[in-house]
Amino acid sequence: MITIAEVADRVGAYLHRQTDNKYDLKKICYGVEVCLVFTLSFLIMVLMGSLLGTFEETILVVLASFIMKSFTGGPHLSGYFRCVSLSSLIIVCCSYAASKSELWLTDPLLFLIGLNGILILMFYLPNRENFSLIDSQQAYIRKNISLVLFIAVWLMTVLMKTIFFYSILLGFLIPIVIITPIGKRLVCLVEKYTKRRWLSWKNFYFYC
């Protein structure tokens, strides 16, 4: 079975030839792989959301989560399909919750969500584990941008109370919660458990 990395290598090699070998082949292949992974993951999540009738909410949650994670960083599972499966499950659940937000998201709960989100960003960022290749100034810039984005969306959610802002707020919360010690611990537990299960399934498939 062909993998995403193999497809990225082939496309990258083709683009490398088209540019007369002016650019680094490894960087081209990596860029292609990132684009393929994000596109495929996005389609899978949107499809799952569509099956639950939360197409628009899923798109908003995915984009909001991706934007916030680009500033906060955070742990993730090592295997692509396991990572996509977990991400899809979380995002689809948040999308469904956003679609029903008027039934459960009260003003006091909305206040607690905003307060906790701000405190997490203030105390757990910047984290050198999340961005080991950038300097301290860039890390603090990312922290400030994430704070401004979250506070702005939170205030708009409080004022407007629409599914549009509920979806974005919940999408922002996903990477924010993951950078906490509890979030990291949960990701490590899922990584350990699913990796062992995945290897067992692969061995069973191979011997069959």
Side-chain angles (χ1 to χ4, degrees):
M1 182 178 65
I2 190 169
T3 64
I4 295 178
E6 292 173 342
V7 174
D9 289 341
R10 295 180 184 180
V11 175
Y14 172 77
L15 295 175
H16 189 247
R17 291 193 299 269
Q18 295 300 311
T19 57
D20 296 327
N21 304 331
K22 293 181 179 179
Y23 303 99
D24 186 15
L25 176 59
K26 291 184 179 180
K27 292 182 179 180
I28 295 177
C29 293
Y30 177 76
V32 173
E33 184 175 357
V34 170
C35 292
L36 289 175
V37 167
F38 177 78
T39 302
L40 183 58
S41 303
F42 180 78
L43 292 176
I44 292 173
M45 295 172 189
V46 171
L47 177 61
M48 292 179 64
S50 299
L51 295 177
L52 291 177
T54 58
F55 176 79
E56 295 179 356
E57 291 87 349
T58 302
I59 292 178
L60 292 173
V61 172
V62 170
L63 294 178
S65 179
F66 176 77
I67 291 172
M68 182 57 68
K69 190 174 178 62
S70 65
F71 294 108
T72 62
H76 57 85
L77 301 182
S78 57
Y80 169 72
F81 287 103
R82 291 183 293 115
C83 188
V84 171
S85 299
L86 179 62
S87 300
S88 299
L89 178 62
I90 295 173
I91 285 176
V92 169
C93 289
C94 288
S95 302
Y96 186 78
S99 68
K100 305 296 182 181
S101 55
E102 295 180 355
L103 301 178
W104 64 273
L105 195 53
T106 60
D107 288 340
L109 183 57
L110 192 59
F111 174 78
L112 289 176
I113 289 175
L115 180 61
N116 281 281
I118 293 171
L119 292 176
I120 290 172
L121 291 173
M122 289 180 63
F123 286 103
Y124 292 107
L125 288 181
N127 189 335
R128 299 303 300 173
E129 295 178 1
N130 297 342
F131 297 104
S132 59
L133 299 179
I134 64 175
D135 57 35
S136 298
Q137 183 178 2
Q138 290 180 329
Y140 278 101
I141 290 175
R142 290 173 183 266
K143 173 182 179 177
N144 293 333
I145 293 176
S146 63
L147 271 170
V148 170
L149 286 175
F150 181 78
I151 293 173
V153 169
W154 176 50
L155 291 176
M156 291 301 297
T157 304
V158 172
L159 294 174
M160 303 299 292
K161 290 185 171 61
T162 62
I163 293 179
F164 176 84
F165 286 108
Y166 288 143
S167 301
I168 297 178
L169 182 65
L170 292 179
F172 277 179
L173 280 177
I174 296 173
I176 290 175
V177 171
I178 289 177
I179 65 174
T180 64
I182 295 176
K184 291 180 179 179
R185 180 61 179 170
L186 288 175
V187 172
C188 290
L189 290 175
V190 173
E191 166 73 13
K192 182 178 179 180
Y193 179 78
T194 58
K195 191 172 185 178
R196 184 169 60 248
R197 290 280 183 170
W198 176 253
L199 290 175
S200 299
W201 181 86
K202 285 178 68 178
N203 292 333
F204 173 79
Y205 179 80
F206 175 77
Y207 286 116
C208 289

